[in-house]
Amino acid sequence: MREILIIGGGYAGFYTAWGLEKTLRPDEARITVVDPRPYMTYQPFLPEVTAGSVEARHAAVSLRRHLRRTRLIAGRVTEIRNADRTVTVRPVNGADYALRYDIVVVTAGAVTRTIPIPGLAQQAIGLKHVEEAVAIRDRLMTAFDEAASLPPGAERQRLLTVTFVGGGFSGVEGFGELLSLATAMLRFYPELSIDDLSFHLVESRGRILPEVGDEPGAWVVRSLERRGAQVHLNTRLVSAEEGHVVLSSGEEFDSALIVWTAGNVSNPVVRNHTDLPVDERGLLVVRPDLRVGTDSEPVPDVWAAGDDAAVPDLASPVSGAHTVPNAQHAVRQGKCLARNIAASLRGGRVRDYRHSSLGVVATLGLGRGIFQYRSLVIKGLPAWLMHRGYHVLAVPTWERKVRVLSVWLIAAWCGRDLVSLASVQHPRDAFVGRFSAGAHHGHERGGRTRPE
C-alpha cells in the first residue's frame, strides 16, 4: 500500500487529505498529515476573532474530527530528503525521527516575515494564528479596564494606543475590526472618550491593500482616517523597545499593543532544508498540474500547493505569472491535488490547475467593507455583507458554517460579547497565589495552615 505524506494541515493540506479520503479506497493508500496543530486555521476569520465577532474555536477546523482515515502526527517536518524518500519529523514531545513516504505533498504554509527591529521580538504579536487573535482582543479589553481607572495622562494614552505594522489584507482587516471593537466599547466606559483612542497603521509602501486598485486603496485610507485612525504611508518601524514606537518619519509614541502583519515568507523547511527544486524566492518550482519540477524535469511522486509553491497562473493574461498565495487558491489547489494524485495512482489523466479570481473582499469593521472584481468596486455595508456571505460558504464543513452563522445572528440581536478572558493566558496564577497566601497565613498562625 502506498504511503502518502502531507506536510502541513493548512488549507491546501487539509483539502488534499479530505479529498483523498473521499476518492481513494482504504486499501489503495495510507494518508499521513504532519502538523504541529491539531486543527486547520481559517485565517480570513482571524480579524473577526480579534473583534469578538467570531468565536475562536469556530475559526479552527478539527483535523481529527473531519479526517477520519488519516494518520495525524503532531509535529513539524524539519527536513525533506527526497533522494531517500524520507523526512525528518520533530514531534511536539520527544526526539526527531525519520519518516518514509512513497508520495509526498508539500503544503507546509508560509511563516510570518520578521525583521531585526529593536524591541520587535519582545513587544509585538502576530496575527496568523487563533491564539494570537484571541490575545490581541483580550489585551485591548484589559487595556480599557486599566485605562478607565486612571486619570488623563501619559499612561492612559499608552494603554489606548494600538499600532499595526503592515498594510496588506491581514493588517488592514485586523486593524479595521479592532478599531470597530474599540469604538463600540466606549459606550460602556463613560470615563473614556473617542479622543483617548490612538490607532496607527504603518505601511512601508505608498499605499495599502495592494490586491485592490489605487482608488479603492485610497478610499480605505480615507475611511479609516474618518474613523479617527492615523495611516502612515511610506513609513517604516524603526524601533519598538519597551513599547516606545519610533517611525522613520520621525514620529514617536508609546503603544501598549503592537501587531506585526508585514507579510510572509516561505516555510524554512522549503527555503533551506530540502533537496527539491526551489526558485529565487525560496518557493518550490511547480508545474501547472501541481507536480514539483518542470515540464522537462519533473520530480516523480512529489506534489505541492499553497503559500510555498510557485504555481503557474494559467488564468492570468501575464506570461509567467504565478497564483497569489491566498485562501481562495489554496483551497482549490488542495481539491485539485486530491483529484490529480488519485488519478496518477490509478493511471488516469491529471489536469492542470486553473482558477480565475472571484475578486477580493475585505472587512474593515462591523458594517464596513470593500469588494473589487476587475473594474467593479463595491464599498461599505454591501461589501461587508458580501464578505460575510462568501466566507460562511467558504469555511469547510457544514458544522462550522452553522456555528459561525449562529454566532453572527445572535450578535445581530444581542450585540457584541465584551468579556475579556486575558487571565486564561496565565491559568495557574490564581492557584499558585493561594499557596503564597496560605504560607503567609500559616506563618502568622505559628507555621500551621488550616483549611478555610
Side-chain angles (χ1 to χ4, degrees):
M1 188 162 56
R2 307 295 296 277
E3 292 280 349
I4 301 176
L5 174 64
I6 301 174
I7 302 173
Y11 299 118
F14 173 80
Y15 275 95
T16 300
W18 206 21
L20 287 172
E21 282 193 356
K22 296 175 182 178
T23 306
L24 298 179
R25 300 187 308 273
D27 62 344
E28 285 187 275
R30 183 166 74 161
I31 307 164
T32 300
V33 171
V34 180
D35 196 284
R37 288 179 170 82
Y39 55 82
M40 184 209 82
T41 302
Y42 191 72
Q43 292 184 359
F45 279 158
L46 293 187
E48 294 204 62
V49 172
T50 67
S53 300
V54 171
E55 287 292 327
R57 286 175 298 175
H58 298 170
V61 179
S62 170
L63 298 181
R64 289 196 177 273
R65 176 166 183 169
H66 299 290
L67 300 180
R68 301 293 183 86
R69 288 171 38 208
T70 298
R71 178 176 59 153
L72 299 173
I73 296 177
R76 66 179 70 252
V77 171
T78 60
E79 185 179 8
I80 304 171
R81 298 182 302 279
N82 190 58
D84 302 327
R85 301 231 169 177
T86 62
V87 300
T88 300
V89 176
R90 180 164 296 164
V92 174
N93 291 301
D96 293 4
Y97 62 91
L99 187 65
R100 291 192 56 81
Y101 61 81
D102 296 305
I103 299 170
V104 66
V105 181
V106 185
T107 55
V111 297
T112 301
R113 179 174 65 94
T114 56
I115 299 174
I117 296 173
L120 182 66
Q122 294 75 28
Q123 301 295 327
I125 185 171
L127 184 52
K128 195 172 180 62
H129 302 291
V130 172
E131 57 268 32
E132 293 173 324
V134 172
I136 290 169
R137 176 176 183 264
D138 286 344
R139 288 186 186 185
L140 178 71
M141 301 185 79
T142 300
F144 262 69
D145 290 331
E146 295 176 1
S149 64
L150 295 173
E155 181 58 16
R156 177 193 273 194
Q157 185 66 61
R158 183 190 71 84
L159 288 168
L160 298 179
T161 298
V162 175
T163 305
F164 272 64
V165 184
F169 257 80
S170 178
V172 171
E173 289 191 312
F175 184 79
E177 286 287 350
L178 206 64
L179 177 59
S180 178
L181 173 62
T183 305
M185 288 173 61
L186 287 173
R187 62 182 290 217
F188 302 102
Y189 290 83
E191 307 90 342
L192 306 176
S193 71
I194 189 68
D195 294 331
D196 291 314
L197 298 182
S198 184
F199 272 65
H200 299 263
L201 177 62
V202 181
E203 170 55 47
S204 62
R205 293 167 293 188
R207 52 164 298 177
I208 62 174
L209 293 178
E211 295 85 352
V212 305
D214 290 343
E215 195 284 326
W219 178 85
V220 173
V221 171
R222 294 193 299 271
S223 174
L224 293 173
E225 290 177 338
R226 284 196 298 269
R227 294 161 61 187
Q230 299 181 57
V231 180
H232 307 267
L233 299 179
N234 295 310
T235 305
R236 295 175 293 102
L237 176 66
V238 175
S239 175
E241 290 185 294
E242 298 182 354
H244 183 71
V245 173
V246 180
L247 303 179
S248 60
S249 61
E251 188 170 354
E252 301 184 22
F253 50 86
D254 291 327
S255 181
L257 179 56
I258 302 172
V259 184
W260 179 266
T261 60
N264 299 317
V265 294
S266 61
N267 196 290
V269 69
V270 171
R271 193 169 65 250
N272 301 319
H273 304 290
T274 181
D275 56 358
L276 296 172
V278 297
D279 65 13
E280 66 280 357
R281 296 174 297 164
L283 302 177
L284 288 168
V285 177
V286 176
R287 304 186 338 167
D289 60 6
L290 304 181
R291 298 177 193 261
V292 171
T294 63
D295 291 337
S296 59
E297 296 184 24
V299 182
D301 298 322
V302 181
W303 307 76
D307 292 351
D308 290 321
V311 179
D313 189 352
L314 300 184
S316 173
V318 180
S319 177
H322 295 95
T323 58
V324 177
N326 60 18
Q328 190 177 138
H329 281 297
V331 168
R332 288 166 175 79
Q333 288 169 8
K335 295 178 179 180
C336 181
L337 269 175
R339 293 191 298 267
N340 280 352
I341 293 171
S344 69
L345 285 173
R346 295 168 176 173
R349 177 188 173 190
V350 299
R351 299 181 182 274
D352 290 345
Y353 172 76
R354 179 190 292 269
H355 171 66
S356 298
S357 173
L358 302 175
V360 292
V361 62
T363 174
L364 304 173
L366 195 63
R368 300 176 175 90
I370 187 165
F371 167 83
Q372 181 175 9
Y373 176 70
R374 297 181 180 175
S375 60
L376 174 65
V377 177
I378 299 175
K379 306 170 185 175
L381 179 63
W384 178 78
L385 291 173
M386 293 172 67
H387 176 274
R388 286 206 159 180
Y390 172 79
H391 284 299
V392 79
L393 292 174
V395 67
T397 79
W398 281 102
E399 169 254 341
R400 275 295 177 266
K401 299 180 197 297
V402 171
R403 289 182 187 274
V404 171
L405 187 58
S406 65
V407 169
W408 282 342
L409 293 175
I410 292 171
W413 178 258
C414 301
R416 296 175 187 262
D417 188 350
L418 301 179
V419 177
S420 170
L421 295 176
S423 58
V424 302
Q425 297 172 41
H426 306 282
R428 298 185 66 249
D429 283 358
F431 180 67
V432 173
R434 293 302 303 153
F435 280 90
S436 300
H440 176 68
H441 292 313
H443 178 73
E444 290 179 342
R445 294 169 180 157
R448 298 177 60 191
T449 59
R450 302 175 185 176
E452 296 180 358

